[in-house]
Amino acid sequence: MSTTAAPAGSQIAEITSSDASLRRFLAGLPGVDQVGAEARVATLATRSIKTSAKAFALDLAIRMIDLTTLEGQDTPGKVRALCAKAAHPDPADPTCPPVAAICVYPDLVPVAKDALTGSPVHLASVATAFPSGRSSLDVKVRETADAVAAGADEIDMVIDRGAFLAGGYSEVFEEIVAIKRACVSPSGGPNAHLKVILETGELVTYDNVRRASWLAMLAGADFIKTSTGKVSPAATLPVTLVMLEAVRDFREATGRQVGVKPAGGIRTAKDAIRYLVLVNETAGEDWLDPDWFRFGASSLLNDLLMQRTKLRTGRYAGPDYFTLD
């Protein structure tokens, strides 16, 4: 796959100094070879891993999950139960690792914060008028700041796709910058990490995915994320390939590493392992870590637990053995 003709770190400020320079840079990114991207993904998807390597991959995938509940019917009880599962996914097996994070709506952050006390699990909150992104900047900033003040240490924001598709790159850039500022901890502790959701299913083309990835990273994103999970298609392997190439090239250009989070539609251990192979072969081993790669999922965890039990005991536990999320 072709790499991006990327700027040196010292050129970033110049690129983002005006609408014209930002537009010129994004328009100058090389186009994505759609046939090549899809063919490479198809080839990598045939890779098979067995025994100890599979056991490692299953545990790694569990450690990379952002266990998510983002429904209008979410209750404090459901969030507390999900937090318990996040910390101890398989209570019958103390060797099973915890997931990376819980992701909830902003009003349920205090509930999750209390439930996760003493746990290594991170607390993420969606913000910025999720999932549509259709609200004023003031409202988006306030929602983000409130979630951080309530205890969220990760924020998943969604970009204004309408503005992006209309060519309003500077508008999207400035909004990400403003949300990044709102991620500053009011207590002087660590700032919340910012994951920027591109909603790739609405961006239509791989070229747009590449441009949006670079735009988000230039604006300060700590992670770039495929989807809200509310739009189809959500995460796909080819889209994730394009985003992995972008973060790889961005680090080469600037020295700053940015994470990637595919979200939506990843339901089986086989799917997760395909993504891990893609990460390793595209961005490299440095991204094979929960600090740099996450799965946004609700149903994936149970299948990983079933496959893990099969490796350990020789038999499937069955889908009703683990709690339903």
Side-chain angles (χ1 to χ4, degrees), residues 118 199 269:
E199 198 65 289

Side-chain angles (χ1 to χ4, degrees), residues 83 86-88 98-102 116 119-123 153:
C83 288
H88 302 287
V99 304
I102 283 287
L116 291 173
S119 163
V121 177
H122 290 286
L123 174 50
D153 53 12

Side-chain angles (χ1 to χ4, degrees), residues 20-98:
S21 58
L22 182 60
R23 184 179 301 277
R24 187 164 50 248
F25 172 75
L26 294 175
L29 293 172
V32 177
D33 177 355
Q34 179 176 343
V35 173
E38 293 174 357
R40 177 161 174 75
V41 163
T43 299
L44 292 175
T46 64
R47 297 276 182 88
S48 178
I49 63 173
K50 305 292 185 183
T51 59
S52 61
K54 184 174 182 179
F56 174 81
L58 293 174
D59 277 9
L60 179 58
I62 290 171
R63 293 170 51 227
M64 288 175 164
I65 288 178
D66 283 3
L67 195 57
T68 302
T69 184
L70 296 170
E71 302 297 336
Q73 62 185 0
D74 287 344
T75 64
K78 181 180 181 182
V79 169
R80 283 191 287 267
L82 207 62
C83 288
K85 183 171 183 175
H88 302 287
D90 185 353
D93 182 4
T95 69
C96 183

Side-chain angles (χ1 to χ4, degrees), residues 229-245:
K230 306 297 185 182
V231 170
S232 183
T236 68
L237 286 165
V239 157
T240 306
L241 169 66
V242 173
M243 294 169 66
L244 286 166
E245 289 181 336

Side-chain angles (χ1 to χ4, degrees), residues 280-297:
N280 187 63
E281 295 297 322
T282 306
E285 291 184 8
D286 287 352
W287 272 268
L288 285 175
D289 186 286
D291 285 343
W292 304 111
F293 193 80
R294 299 278 184 87
F295 294 107

Side-chain angles (χ1 to χ4, degrees), residues 138-264:
D138 286 347
V139 168
K140 293 177 180 181
V141 168
R142 178 61 182 271
E143 183 179 44
T144 302
D146 285 350
V148 173
D153 53 12
E154 299 179 358
I155 293 293
D156 289 32
M157 73 163 286
V158 60
I159 67 167
D160 183 338
R161 283 86 73 195
F164 179 89
L165 292 170
Y169 299 144
S170 290
E171 179 182 345
V172 177
F173 176 87
E174 294 298 339
E175 185 166 281
I176 298 171
V177 169
I179 300 303
K180 177 78 171 179
R181 292 195 192 104
C183 289
V184 174
S185 170
S187 64
N191 296 336
H193 282 199
L194 179 62
K195 306 193 201 88
V196 177
I197 306 171
L198 309 181
E199 198 65 289
T200 53
E202 293 185 340
L203 296 186
V204 184
T205 69
Y206 294 149
D207 287 349
N208 276 341
V209 172
R210 176 170 280 173
R211 292 187 190 105
S213 297
W214 273 88
L215 179 61
M217 293 187 292
L218 290 167
D222 298 300
F223 262 76
I224 50 175
K225 177 179 171 182
T226 61
S227 323
T228 62
K230 306 297 185 182
V231 170
S232 183
T236 68
L237 286 165
V239 157
T240 306
L241 169 66
V242 173
M243 294 169 66
L244 286 166
E245 289 181 336
V247 297
R248 176 198 65 198
D249 295 345
F250 186 81
R251 187 179 73 169
E252 183 178 343
T254 67
R256 186 168 77 85
Q257 188 163 336
V258 175
V260 175
K261 177 180 172 181

Side-chain angles (χ1 to χ4, degrees), residues 100-120:
I102 283 287
C103 186
V104 297
Y105 275 116
D107 61 309
L108 289 167
V109 167
V111 175
K113 177 71 172 177
D114 180 67
L116 291 173
T117 300
S119 163

